[in-house]
Amino acid sequence: MHGIKVFKPFSEQQEELLRQYHEACLLLVDCLNSASEKMRSHIEDTLLLPIAEIEKRPFKN
């Protein structure tokens, strides 16, 4: 069976972490959809930055 991968079911802990990740993603999308254009742009620009870098770029209304 060379090259065939076997699916190993997720553990309960892994399933819970995936559920939490999914819920967090849904919340982020909901927040982005309800934010002003300026706020949405700020969030998108800083989303993947390290905390120290984000703190250097405070949101300005």
Side-chain angles (χ1 to χ4, degrees):
M1 291 193 169
H2 182 67
I4 297 175
K5 296 184 181 185
V6 178
F7 175 73
K8 180 180 174 187
F10 293 119
S11 69
E12 287 184 29
Q13 181 183 17
Q14 289 171 319
E15 284 185 20
E16 177 61 19
L17 289 172
L18 283 171
R19 187 193 64 73
Q20 290 175 9
Y21 175 78
H22 181 254
E23 290 294 321
C25 289
L26 292 176
L27 177 60
L28 176 59
V29 169
D30 193 38
C31 289
L32 288 172
N33 287 335
S34 63
S36 69
E37 182 62 36
K38 191 171 183 180
M39 175 61 84
R40 181 175 30 254
S41 179
H42 178 73
I43 293 170
E44 290 171 348
D45 291 345
T46 58
L47 186 62
L48 300 176
L49 294 176
I51 296 294
E53 189 64 31
I54 293 171
E55 290 171 345
K56 295 177 187 176
R57 303 176 185 204
F59 178 71
K60 296 174 184 148
N61 260 335

